[in-house]
Every structure is written in structure tokens, then in C-alpha cells.
């Protein structure tokens, strides 16, 4: 398996990873955040996307309606919020996917500016109407559209503006980088930059190149389960619905369910993954080697999107990774990491640039994990540049990316990094 990004058009900035500088498109985006906005991308075949302003947001210009359609029927998988107060689009999308058993999905529609949450029967009717409006455009007689909403809770959608906007959005969809970037912008609320990633990959022994692209929004109310508010990924690889749901579930636990900003779980959290098979090849089934390969690709990809959400956390000044190793199980390691990430005292110590490892040890001790042995537990601060010392100031600039390493010393399980800000 190989995973690669096309050669950058301009010089990559330090710590920019796979993201390159783009020309600013919004005055609200801090200069330091532009390095996370991609200038180009490699996008999956058969998907047409776009974003427009339809009038949900009251400023008269901000993009607030995103549309994604597939030229071919897709396998689809999704993971939803565990909040008891699930928003109307969550309920409608879950019912649609269950009815279709994850097959034959043709699109996704998202509005920002209003969450359509805690809106009763009227809200459900609005969410259904949004899906039907897209179904009519792609020629599907039955519900085949994933519906998402994000924004203010407790208010009804200006549904007629959205229904009038959907045909206009359909006229603007395309396959260009600009179209994908506008779609990512259209799902933003308090975000300071659009979160968009794309990559190409191959399966071992296959000459076919596949692509995966995705976007996420989220800056506040970020905490598992789920922890992204909204996320969407699409690939042109052929995947069965069962394999796709298994792949997404695995990836979510190690990405969007391993980030935290403020400890609040939203009513609207949804991450969806569509696969239309437009690039050709043999269908990937559950339990095969192909599933293992794609699971690794999607997991790494979802981790990149999750990192962008953390970096854009409301009021965030640090990007912190907590790694726990030598636990008895993955679940134990994750519970310890999550407890450390949620600790107010750990956060205040990091904000004040005080390397107070005692607070980390304290959180480990009350994590509720059985079998933590004080005599075997180790705590380290790991500089992200690989140097042995803990740097607080680098070339006159404060170092705000940190890694906390905890070794429980009781087992061999390691947890994927849990990130918070």
C-alpha cells in the first residue's frame, strides 16, 4: 500500500505536513492558519461538489449550502452523535442509510448557520424536504441523500431559502479544487479556516490509482463521541457497504473519537464516507486484505482531518498529543489518554507553559482503568521535532505543539494519539 500527495506547487512551510499556503479567501482567517488550507488537491472520480450562499447566514455573502453528488450510486457509511438530543438531520440520515442498507446513495447536502436541532416534527419535515430536493435532481425516486445541518440549536431552518438554493447549488457543482474548497467553506460556522484534505493511494499489486477526499467542520462543542461536528469523506474505490461501515468505525475510534477541545458533545455530530467505485477494480469486501489496506488509508486520512479540527479549537493556544503505551488493551490506553486530555489542571499547566507532570500522573490515577501500577508508570514530554529536551521557546517563538507520553508498563497495547487543544 502506498499513500502519497502530489508534489506541492510552492515551498512547504514548517510543520505544514500535507498542507500548503493558499491565497487568503476570508479576512477572518488568521495568517498562521493559512498553511493548513490546501492550494490544490487530488479528488476522487465521479463526485461533483459545490458551495453557495442561499440565505441561511444573515451576512448576505458567506457560503452556507454545500452539495455533493455522485455520478454513480455509492456505498455509504456513517457514524452519528451519541447525544440523546439528536438533531433532525441525524435522525433522517440514519433512517435513510438503514433503509438502504448502505447502498445506492447518490449525494449529500449540508447547510450551515442553523443546526435544525431540538426543532420537533417540523424540523424532521425540513430535513426530509432537503433530501428530497436533492433526490429529484439526481433522478432517485427514493431517499438517497445524506442530510447534515450545523449552527444554532433550537431554531427552525429558513427551509424555503434552502430548497430554492439546492437547484442553484446543483448548477454550480464541479470537480475542480475550487469547487471542493467552496464546499468545505460552506459547512463552516465558527471555524477560522476550511478543513479540506485529499490524497491518492494504491492497493498492493494493482496499477490503479485511487483517490480519497474529505472535509470537516468544527471549532466548538468538540468531544467524543463523536468529536467533529460534521465530516465527510469520499473515495472512488469500489467497496461493499459492510466493509465500508467496518472501515469507518475503525477509523473513527482512532481519529474523530480521539480528539477534544472543550469536552462538549454536539447534537449534530455526523461523519459520512461514500465510495462510488468510479476508478474501477474489484469490489473490496469485508474480511479481505483489501479491507485492511483501505482501513489503514481511511484511518490515517481521518486523523489528518481530526488534527485540523483540534488546531481550530475555539480559544485554543496549544496542540497537544497524548500517547499511552504498554496498557493491557486499546480501550484502557484510550481511557487514560482521554482522561488526561479532559483534565482542567493539565490544560491550565500547559497553557501556562508549566511542565507539571504531577497533574498528568494524577489524571492517570483517577482514569478508572484497573491495573495501573504506580511503580511501573512513566510520564514524558516529547518535543515534536525529535529533540531530547522540552523546548518552550524556539527561535524566539513559543512552541505550542506538544506530546505527552505515558507508559503504564502493564501490557503491550498502545493507543493511537489522542489530541486536544
Amino acid at each position: 500500500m502506498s499513500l502519497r500527495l502530489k508534489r506541492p506547487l510552492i515551498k512547504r512551510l514548517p510543520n505544514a505536513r500535507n498542507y500548503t499556503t493558499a491565497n487568503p479567501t476570508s479576512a477572518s482567517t488568521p495568517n498562521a492558519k493559512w498553511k493548513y488550507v490546501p492550494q490544490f488537491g487530488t479528488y476522487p472520480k465521479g463526485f461533483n461538489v459545490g458551495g453557495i450562499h442561499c440565505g441561511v447566514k444573515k451576512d448576505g455573502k458567506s457560503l452556507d449550502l454545500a452539495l455533493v453528488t455522485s455520478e454513480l450510486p455509492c456505498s455509504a457509511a456513517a457514524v452519528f452523535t451519541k447525544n440523546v438530543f439528536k438533531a433532525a438531520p441525524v435522525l433522517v440520515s440514519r433512517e435513510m442509510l438503514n433503509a438502504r442498507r448502505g447502498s445506492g446513495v447518490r449525494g449529500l447536502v449540508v447547510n450551515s448557520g442553523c443546526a435544525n436541532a431540538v426543532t420537533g416534527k417540523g424540523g424532521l419535515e425540513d430535513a426530509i424536504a432537503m433530501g428530497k430536493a436533492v433526490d429529484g435532481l439526481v433522478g432517485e425516486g427514493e431517499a438517497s441523500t445524506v442530510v447534515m445541518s450545523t449552527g444554532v440549536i433550537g431554531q427552525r431552518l429558513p427551509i424555503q431559502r434552502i430548497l430554492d438554493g439546492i437547484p442553484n447549488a446543483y448548477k454550480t457543482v464541479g470537480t475542480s479544487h475550487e469547487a471542493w474548497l467552496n464546499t468545505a467553506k460552506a459547512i463552516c460556522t465558527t471555524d477560522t479556516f476550511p478543513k479540506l484534505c485529499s490524497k491518492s493511494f494504491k492497493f498492493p499489486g494493482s496499477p490503479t490509482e485511487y483517490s480519497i477526499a474529505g472535509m470537516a467542520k468544527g471549532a466548538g462543542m468538540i468531544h467524543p463521541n463523536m468529536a467533529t461536528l460534521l465530516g465527510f469523506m469520499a473515495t472512488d474505490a469500489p467497496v461493499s457497504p459492510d466493509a465500508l461501515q467496518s472501515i469507518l468505525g475503525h477509523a473513527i475510534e482512532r481519529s474523530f473519537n480521539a480528539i477534544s477541545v472543550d469536552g462538549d458533545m454536539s447534537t449534530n455530530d455526523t461523519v459520512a464516507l461514500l465510495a462510488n467505485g468510479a476508478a474501477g477494480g474489484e469490489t473490496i469486501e469485508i474480511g479481505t486484505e483489501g479491507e485492511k489496506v483501505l482501513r489503514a488509508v481511511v484511518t490515517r486520512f481521518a486523523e489528518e482531518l481530526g488534527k485540523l479540527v483540534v488546531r481550530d479549537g475555539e480559544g485554543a493556544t496549544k496542540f497537544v498529543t497524548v500517547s499511552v503505551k504498554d496498557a493491557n488493551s486499546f480501550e484502557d490506553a484510550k481511557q487514560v489518554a482521554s482522561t488526561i486530555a479532559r483534565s482542567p489542571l493539565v490544560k491550565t499547566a500547559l497553557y501556562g507553559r508549566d511542565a507539571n507532570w504531577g497533574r498528568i500522573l494524577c489524571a492517570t490515577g483517577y482514569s478508572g482503568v484497573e491495573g495501573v501500577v504506580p511503580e511501573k508508570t512513566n510520564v514524558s514530554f516529547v518535543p515534536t521535532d525529535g529533540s531530547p529536551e522540552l523546548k518552550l521557546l524556539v527561535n524566539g517563538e513559543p512552541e505550542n505543539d506538544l506530546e505527552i507520553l505515558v507508559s503504564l508498563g502493564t501490557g503491550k497495547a498502545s493507543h493511537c494519539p489522542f489530541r486536544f487543544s
Side-chain angles (χ1 to χ4, degrees):
M1 182 271 291
S2 63
L3 183 66
R4 61 187 179 86
L5 185 70
K6 285 187 175 179
R7 185 180 299 275
L9 299 179
I10 60 177
K11 185 177 180 180
R12 187 175 296 173
L13 294 176
N15 298 323
R17 295 185 181 270
N18 291 330
Y19 309 99
T20 54
T21 304
N23 292 326
T25 56
S26 170
S28 63
T29 301
N31 290 334
K33 299 291 182 71
W34 283 116
K35 63 186 176 184
Y36 302 121
V37 181
Q39 180 179 299
F40 63 93
T42 303
Y43 298 106
K45 299 179 178 68
F47 287 98
N48 294 281
V49 304
I52 66 167
H53 173 76
C54 74
V56 181
K57 293 179 180 176
K58 298 178 181 179
D59 62 5
K61 59 181 180 180
S62 295
L63 303 183
D64 54 16
L65 182 64
L67 182 62
V68 176
T69 62
S70 175
E71 297 169 5
L72 299 172
C74 300
S75 294
V79 179
F80 301 99
T81 181
K82 294 185 178 180
N83 196 309
V84 172
F85 292 97
K86 293 175 174 61
V90 170
L91 298 174
V92 169
S93 295
R94 186 176 63 180
E95 182 177 348
M96 183 275 293
L97 291 173
N98 287 340
R100 282 190 167 273
R101 296 184 179 179
S103 64
V105 173
R106 291 294 302 276
L108 174 144
V109 62
V110 188
N111 77 271
S112 59
C114 179
N116 192 12
V118 198
T119 47
K121 293 182 179 180
L124 289 171
E125 293 172 356
D126 291 344
I128 292 171
M130 287 175 63
K132 284 184 176 180
V134 179
D135 295 337
L137 294 171
V138 298
E140 289 292 334
E142 299 179 357
S144 67
T145 302
V146 177
V147 180
M148 300 183 189
S149 296
T150 181
V152 179
I153 294 173
Q155 295 183 7
R156 287 286 299 274
L157 291 172
I159 188 61
Q160 195 56 50
R161 295 179 185 178
I162 294 174
L163 296 181
D164 291 341
I166 287 174
N168 294 330
Y170 188 67
K171 295 176 183 177
T172 70
V173 296
T175 60
S176 68
H177 171 68
E178 182 180 8
W180 279 88
L181 189 58
N182 283 339
T183 308
K185 292 176 184 177
I187 69 175
C188 291
T189 52
T190 58
D191 307 63
T192 66
F193 66 92
K195 300 161 185 65
L196 174 66
C197 300
S198 65
K199 287 182 173 65
S200 60
F201 63 94
K202 290 183 177 181
F203 292 95
S206 172
T208 305
E209 183 172 79
Y210 297 96
S211 295
I212 183 171
M215 60 195 69
K217 66 83 50 188
M221 297 186 76
I222 307 298
H223 190 71
N225 291 302
M226 291 280 304
T228 173
L229 291 184
L230 296 183
F232 166 71
M233 295 177 284
T235 180
D236 49 18
V239 193
S240 71
D242 288 343
L244 200 67
Q245 188 66 52
S246 175
I247 288 167
L248 182 62
H250 178 92
I252 290 298
E253 282 302 305
R254 291 153 179 80
S255 57
F256 294 123
N257 274 356
I259 64 175
S260 182
V261 173
D262 49 28
D264 277 334
M265 185 197 305
S266 171
T267 56
N268 290 59
D269 295 337
T270 303
V271 174
L273 172 60
L274 302 185
N276 65 6
E282 185 177 349
T283 300
I284 297 168
E285 300 289 350
I286 194 167
T288 63
E289 186 63 28
E291 184 203 4
K292 294 180 182 179
V293 172
L294 187 58
R295 182 174 63 192
V297 171
V298 173
T299 299
R300 290 173 59 188
F301 188 79
E303 287 175 355
E304 291 300 315
L305 281 174
K307 290 177 186 178
L308 295 180
V309 173
V310 175
R311 291 193 182 280
D312 204 22
E314 291 178 350
T317 60
K318 302 287 187 294
F319 179 88
V320 184
T321 301
V322 183
S323 297
V324 177
K325 68 176 186 177
D326 297 336
N328 287 322
S329 67
F330 170 84
E331 290 75 18
D332 283 357
K334 185 174 181 179
Q335 186 171 335
V336 171
S338 177
T339 304
I340 294 170
R342 294 197 311 268
S343 167
L345 289 181
V346 170
K347 288 192 172 188
T348 54
L350 295 174
Y351 177 80
R353 313 192 70 78
D354 176 11
N356 192 334
W357 56 266
R359 296 181 177 184
I360 298 167
L361 201 64
C362 178
T364 301
Y366 67 69
S367 65
V369 171
E370 296 183 2
V372 173
V373 180
E375 293 80 7
K376 294 184 178 182
T377 302
N378 300 282
V379 176
S380 302
F381 289 94
V382 182
T384 57
D385 65 356
S387 60
E389 72 271 23
L390 175 60
K391 295 181 179 180
L392 299 181
L393 194 70
V394 180
N395 296 326
E397 294 292 333
E399 179 58 59
N400 294 323
D401 283 19
L402 307 169
E403 180 175 351
I404 298 169
L405 175 62
V406 177
S407 174
L408 298 183
T410 58
K412 296 182 179 180
S414 295
H415 166 54
C416 70
F418 196 107
R419 300 176 175 90
F420 71 96
S421 59

